[in-house]
Amino acid sequence: MSRATLLPSGKATHAAGRPRVARGPRRKDALAAPPTRRKQPVQKRAEFTVAAIIDAARELLLKHGADAVTTRQVAARAGVAVGTLYQYFPDRDAILMHLASQIMDEEVDRTTHQLANLYRHPLRELMGALYERSIEVERRMQALDRDFHRRHARHLNFGLSLKDRISIQPQNTETLIASALRMMSDHRGEVRETDRDLASFMIVRGMRNVMTTLVEERPDLLASPSLAPMLTRLAMAIFDLATERADDGRDEVGFSPAASP
């Protein structure tokens, strides 16, 4: 006998009489594991084969666009059998993910040096540069393939790929938050927010989620010139920057003295 019964309305209930809760669609794309290679090349010949596959994919992408990057066309361009390609890459997304990782590495090398030079500059300048670079990375990822970028945006986290300014090891979420805490300490003359644990979490996780949601739902807005300044203003609000209150001419409750009766 079934454990479910029907209400007069026709809705199913559990045996205990509670209505079955309707669930929305699962976000498989956002939560699924990122595509990866099937195996790592060990011998020099295998390394050459993988390099040829990636070079072929990049050439197809640059000359003919994302639609041309198929496993068959990549294999033909690389001069290998499709079966050989599948030994290393299970599908097209795994090839694109490898290209995305290369782009990320290039941007990390460029940005780490830039941010190290800006580290002692005012926070507005430092964070503005960080968001400009982050948006540029997202745009480059989008150029790989819009649908691929949307589906795997949560796995293409530029912040997690950045190196700590005094470490050569890639960061994870915890060390990135610790870096944000240290940054606030180093800029304590500017930061007025007293709950620095919350502020560091919001800067690392909250701001990243804003960017990811934008990529997933409105990728066209990545082209807006207002995006980087807007993200910077949000970050300054989280820090409760001392200079922000002085610059906008407003008092503690947000009213301009000139507008007061």
Side-chain angles (χ1 to χ4, degrees):
M1 182 177 178
S2 173
R3 294 177 58 87
T5 58
L6 291 177
L7 294 174
S9 61
K11 295 181 179 179
T13 69
H14 293 295
R18 294 188 300 272
R20 188 184 297 276
V21 178
R23 298 182 183 275
R26 295 181 179 179
R27 301 180 63 185
K28 292 182 180 179
D29 289 342
L31 300 179
T36 58
R37 295 208 306 238
R38 276 203 166 110
K39 67 177 183 178
Q40 298 292 329
V42 177
Q43 299 178 344
K44 288 293 183 182
R45 182 178 178 181
E47 290 178 358
F48 178 81
T49 299
V50 169
I53 291 170
I54 293 302
D55 289 345
R58 189 185 288 271
E59 288 177 13
L60 285 168
L61 181 69
L62 293 176
K63 292 182 179 180
H64 305 291
D67 289 343
V69 183
T70 66
T71 53
R72 289 189 176 277
Q73 292 196 66
V74 170
R77 181 74 134 197
V80 302
V82 174
T84 300
L85 182 148
Y86 282 135
Q87 289 179 23
Y88 299 100
F89 299 97
D91 52 30
R92 172 180 183 269
D93 273 9
I95 298 173
L96 291 175
M97 184 60 75
H98 192 91
L99 288 174
S101 297
Q102 289 185 339
I103 291 173
M104 198 76 76
D105 288 343
E106 294 169 6
E107 293 293 341
V108 162
D109 290 341
R110 182 180 307 162
T111 304
T112 300
H113 179 71
Q114 179 187 16
L115 295 185
N117 290 335
L118 289 174
Y119 189 78
R120 294 296 177 181
H121 287 226
L123 271 178
R124 172 177 283 277
E125 187 176 350
L126 174 61
M127 298 305 293
L130 175 60
Y131 291 131
E132 287 282 1
R133 295 309 312 159
S134 297
I135 293 167
E136 179 59 26
V137 171
E138 298 294 347
R139 289 170 180 161
R140 289 190 67 185
M141 296 296 172
Q142 190 179 63
L144 284 175
D145 181 80
R146 279 179 174 263
D147 182 62
F148 168 84
H149 184 220
R150 180 191 63 78
R151 287 185 287 112
H152 298 296
R154 293 181 184 272
H155 302 298
L156 298 170
N157 190 330
F158 181 58
L160 292 181
S161 299
L162 274 173
K163 297 177 177 66
D164 186 271
R165 71 185 183 92
I166 60 173
S167 172
I168 62 172
Q169 297 300 320
Q171 300 218 36
N172 56 35
T173 301
E174 289 72 26
T175 57
L176 204 57
I177 291 173
S179 295
L181 276 168
R182 186 174 66 247
M183 179 180 66
M184 284 190 287
S185 178
D186 291 342
H187 290 264
R188 52 188 171 274
E190 297 180 72
V191 178
R192 297 175 57 143
E193 177 55 58
T194 57
D195 193 340
R196 294 187 177 181
D197 284 336
L198 176 59
S200 62
F201 182 86
M202 290 297 295
I203 285 293
V204 172
R205 298 294 292 144
M207 297 296 280
R208 176 58 199 170
N209 283 337
V210 168
M211 182 72 78
T212 302
T213 302
L214 184 145
V215 168
E216 291 176 347
E217 299 182 11
R218 289 294 306 274
D220 56 298
L221 293 179
L222 280 175
S224 172
S226 298
L227 181 55
M230 191 176 295
L231 291 175
T232 304
R233 290 196 300 272
L234 286 172
M236 297 306 98
I238 291 171
F239 289 137
D240 192 14
L241 229 61
T243 54
E244 294 297 294
R245 296 187 179 182
D247 289 346
D248 68 6
R250 297 173 184 271
D251 61 19
E252 290 293 324
V253 294
F255 292 100
S256 171
S260 301

